[in-house]
Amino acid sequence: MTRHKLKTAAMAIRFFLFFSLLFVSINPTFSLYEDQVGLMDWHHKYIGKVKQAVFQTQKAGRKRVVVSTEENVIASLDLRRGEIFWRHVLGNNDVIDAIDITLGKYVITLSSAGSVVRAWNLPDGQMIWESSLQGSTPSKPFLYVPVNLKIDRDNIIIVFGNGCLHAISSIDGAVLWTKSFASEGSDIQEVLQLLDSDIIYAVGFVGSSKFVTYQINAKNGEVVKQSNVDFHGGFSGELSFVSSDYLVALDSTRSILVSISFRDGKTSLHQIHISDLVEGFSGMASIVPSKLTDILAIKVSSLILFLRVTGGGKLEFVDNISYPSAVSDTLSFLEGQEAFALAQLSGSKVHLTVKLNNDWNSDLLKESIKIDHQRGLVEKVFINSYIRTDKSHGFRALIVMEDHSLLLLQQGEIVWSREDGLASIIDTNTAELPFEKEGVSVAKVEHNLFEWLRGHILKLKGTLMLASPDDIVAIQGMRLKSSEKNKMTRDHNGFRKLLLVLTKAGKLYALHTGDGRVVWSLLLPSLRRSDTCENPAGLNLYQWQVPHHHALDENPSVLVVGRCGTDSDAPGVLSFVDSYTGKELNTLSLSHSIAQVIPLPFTDSTEQRLHLIIDAGRQAYLYPRTPEAIGIFEPERPNMYSYSVDEEKNIIKGYALEHHCNKASDGYCFKTKELWSIIFPSESEKIIASVTRKSNEVVHAQVKVIADQDVMYKYISKTLLFVATVSPKAAGEIGSATPEESWLVVYLIDSITGRILHRVTHHGSQGPVHAVFSENWVVYHYFNLRAHRYEMSVIEIYDQSRADNKDVWKLILGKHNLTTPTSSYSRPEVVVKSQSYFFTHSVKTMAVTSTAKGITSKQLLIGTIGDQVLALDKRFVDPRRSINPTQSEKEEGLIPLTDTLQIIPQSYVTHSIQVEGLRGIVTIPAKLESTSLVFSYGVDLFLTRVAPSRTYDSLTEDFSYALLLLTIGALIAAIFVTWILSEKKELREKWR
Amino acid sequence: MANKTKKNLEIRISHYSITIFFLIIISLIISSSSSSPSSAFQSDELLLDDDEFGLEGGRGGGGVRTPIDLEYINNNPLQTPSTSNPTVRKRSSSSSSDHDLDSKVQFVLEHAFGTSDSEFVPAGTFTARLKTWSHGGQTLTKLRFSRNALTEAEKEKFEKLLKDDDFYRIRLPSNVVSPPGKDYVISSVKARCLIRDNLDEHFVIHTDGVNILGVNYGSPGACEYPRLLKLPRKWVFNSYTLLKSSEQAPRAPAFTEDIVLGETVEGEILNPPERSFWAKYWMYLIPLGLIVMNGFTQAMNLPEEQAGQPNSQTQQSTSQGSAVRRR
């Protein structure tokens, strides 16, 4: 018995060893050495558009500002340089509502609509405590940190969320008391504390017309006093505290200000018509959400009005400024002195004004700072005061611009700026760099030659282990900033490119792939808010014009597609941008909407690519609108098809293009006609994912050579569509459905004819489904409820109709059907192979490497939940894997089947780096066949090179040519020496 | 020399044809066995006047195959589909003939000529048996199809389609129980693809219970790309129909017992365990012994000529031996 056990154990060990050996030997995955980090990859950290900023400068050695952003990042930034001390990315479903600092050392965040409060240690960002708050009714959450309110020497934090007011201990996050307002239906808007008392005031609305004030004992949460006031006009819900016992609300018509004073528990209302204060007022007003004291700012059409409160509850008009400008909160900087800042863009300068609250006419600070005009308007301003060397008070301002960038202004200068718009990339594209100009000066060459030699001698020293520590540092520095990779010209290997990225702010950046620096940026005028276009949004980037390599003096250009508004039927906007200079060449405001953009495989004589834009009403429009384009397009029109996936109605439809549409005047408009439809029964299936092949993918081999010298023909069709549906119950989160009532069905559909080529059901599985489609295979990732694990499946499709072409005689006599055009209308004869494996990680996004010629084997790039990118060889997801591969299969490199996909730590292309908030992975083929660039983006950006089959076609970058030369030289010398020696010896022999 | 290569080539070709033959047999076995677990699949079809494609409906879910393959199926003695699992089950279920559970449904095929003409008119009727399972699910089986003859006007329209190389469109209700349903599934084909001698059409209806997800409509075979204008000899449709429901995905592969199985096999291949210590490590022991001997001889202070000679010889032989071994 024991012997048997031992034997099995020994076998298991042997088996394990065999496998580990196997993995080591066959594992060509990308991995690098420690000193190679940063050589061909770069990682940039961003935080996103700042929502709120809190300064911490008193009594702190390192001056810092804590910010929360729209990308749900909380970060502590160095005030001197703008670098990130620490940051945390909260999930997408954990939106940060408010931040504050308490006890001078904890950062408090309120998130998830007022249900989670966390405290972070200010110096290092460690989480101190977290508490989740219960509540029933959703409401506008807020956070209030009273200045000097203590319960048992413990500072408390007041949080309102989900209809309840909570007091929380700032030391350990314990909930001290909770007062629910849900039963009374009151919606608390603000809380404030009267100085030196334990009473806090909570004010809010009940319904739309009742204003309610609670006086609450801060020690125990008991309501001491409550008073209601009815206002028959109704409130709009906006209010602003002007002083500790006086607030102003806006009525429902937004034309009357209601001032409310609640001195000594008595509440009284006054109505003030805005038209009484301001001459010629009409329309709607809104209260600027800045916390000011003694002054009220309201926005009226294109103006911001400042109103001052005078004694007796009267308001008085002070001044107005034109609207696109930002107002900061009030900052108290001296005993009793309070100030606020105004920031406004005019021309290419930002005007920053800091004013005292009680004295409008004098400015504490007035600065004009010249600013890059691609940053747009000032959206937000936060101020902070400091004591100058001459003991007077200075002010610094943190401003958030329209392009989401963050700047610190001090002493009339930009101290630092952060391009945080890059944290919210929508789409990416690439452009080749221009060729190197000829005629480089001789001096430069000599300098380069010297540098080159010096570099190589250093490298040689490094290789021969002769280098001193200083030399090693020099070598490392040289490798890292190697000017070679940052040049603005095209390189032989195609590693240097321009990455064009479109961000949520409507700004287009060109990043250099060498080091990720911004080459140029353009805030697209057509995607900026204007009177005609209220809510513009960028959608996609397309290659518009790629000059032929005979016309190198021309610049390539990209097409930016956007729409005016959030609905899918909002009118579209097109913008054409030069890829080298970043100038907008042309812009078009479309009369139709944009539902789909199809880049066509045709270009006109100026190398502009033809694009077909399909609107929400399924009419197709051809761009560019030239007669030449029509001339190219019209003969191909009968072979043009499109399809639409309607995820709400669970219908997939295919269309053909018909003649000109009903608007007879428009010759560039085409009707679409429904050709096919697939209707998923809504009671059993719901579409959750659809994936196609990348249109620019290159496939090198049409066949797959398998063991025994046999071949299988890949079914390669650009029109295949992968669709995944789940049962409606399983469409929610994992765990919301039982295995019996959840299933996942995947389809392979030909999008020309609507033919379902393959359909398979995974019972007991559910989404989310992430899939990649490449060549003739699909890999998809989903959750298996029965096994409680994630799974990955692969489907490969092979063409049987060409399988007969294996006969040599047929090939010799030309009786094969390999050159006949294939039609989608032929009945396809396909064979489908599939296999499933368990996979440890949940996946955020998936992509596949693509190379210039498609020869190199592929790797799946998996964005894991830990924000890393894992490169998994396609060979691990090969449906031909079997438990016992035959000898010939082993020779072919088939890996024995395992139930789980192994994750080898070295195969993380992001090595130790996390690409926070990972959202997308893009692969760009380099000119070198073995290599492709991988750009992954989220809140951070990361770019690296991967070589799935290793760099078989080039020497590594740190290859020491000097050593090679030296060796050759030494060999030649040795040959000569031995030759001479042998000659001499021969001579001596002869003389003997 | 040339002769030899020719012979080689012949051998290779015969080798090829043999392997292809075997592959076909193997693929047939695989496909017949792979169709067996797809118990969800029910296929039946109506055979109209043409017997050429007789076996088509009877095939399992292994995918569509050409008529050439079918000949192989007919000739192949290995192919015994009647013993495979689903057919038996189907047969037993149909022979048990629980008629009260089954009901007949009819649904109408409608067609339209050209994309500009959106008028769909009835073109034929599908009849199927609706089988209600004990667990409440319903499936369609035994599909029959009868097509209405084309009227003169329709023939004219069809001829026009052929001339314009336009689409012939058909549609089916998406739910067969409540025929007008909420929607129709549509499919189209270039009319010229249907023309053989007569009009050949092929339906693959993808069902899920009583719902029709989609219908693949087209010619039964290939449709050559430069579609030439050809008129049918007879205006009669040869219809082939196939019902398809979803296949079950194979389960994630290996579980513990499989691994144990795989392991033992691996172990056998790697090294038969019954080998003596000497058999395993002789290649290390011999040089070791030589070195020891060498050391001895030197320690004994023997004359160099006597010790060196045999030493080098044995070393040579052992290195050869180990080289062979390594290969």
Side-chain angles (χ1 to χ4, degrees), chain A residues 312-377:
Chain A
K314 291 266 164 48
L315 287 173
E316 177 185 281
F317 172 73
V318 181
D319 200 358
N320 63 28
I321 56 172
S322 59
Y323 167 58
S325 53
V327 184
S328 77
D329 291 352
T330 299
L331 173 84
S332 60
F333 63 98
L334 256 178
E335 202 63 40
Q337 293 263 54
E338 289 180 321
F340 67 98
L342 302 171
Q344 200 174 7
L345 183 84
S346 67
S348 63
K349 283 188 171 176
V350 168
H351 298 287
L352 180 73
T353 319
V354 179
K355 284 179 188 294
L356 274 177
N357 267 0
N358 46 19
D359 185 7
W360 183 267
N361 295 322
S362 71
D363 296 330
L364 283 173
L365 184 77
K366 199 171 170 75
E367 285 170 350
S368 295
I369 299 122
K370 198 162 164 30
I371 204 165
D372 178 12
H373 63 281
Q374 296 301 347
R375 294 201 187 275
L377 304 169

Side-chain angles (χ1 to χ4, degrees), chain A residues 875-890:
Chain A
R875 294 189 303 149
F876 287 98
V877 283
D878 187 336
R880 291 177 51 247
R881 283 174 70 179
S882 61
I883 293 168
N884 297 312
T886 61
Q887 195 58 42
S888 54
E889 280 176 334
K890 268 188 209 161

Side-chain angles (χ1 to χ4, degrees), chain A residues 628-644:
Chain A
E628 189 197 353
I630 283 282
I632 296 166
F633 178 72
E634 193 60 39
E636 299 291 339
R637 189 182 48 78
N639 292 333
M640 293 283 171
Y641 299 89
S642 68
Y643 68 92
S644 67

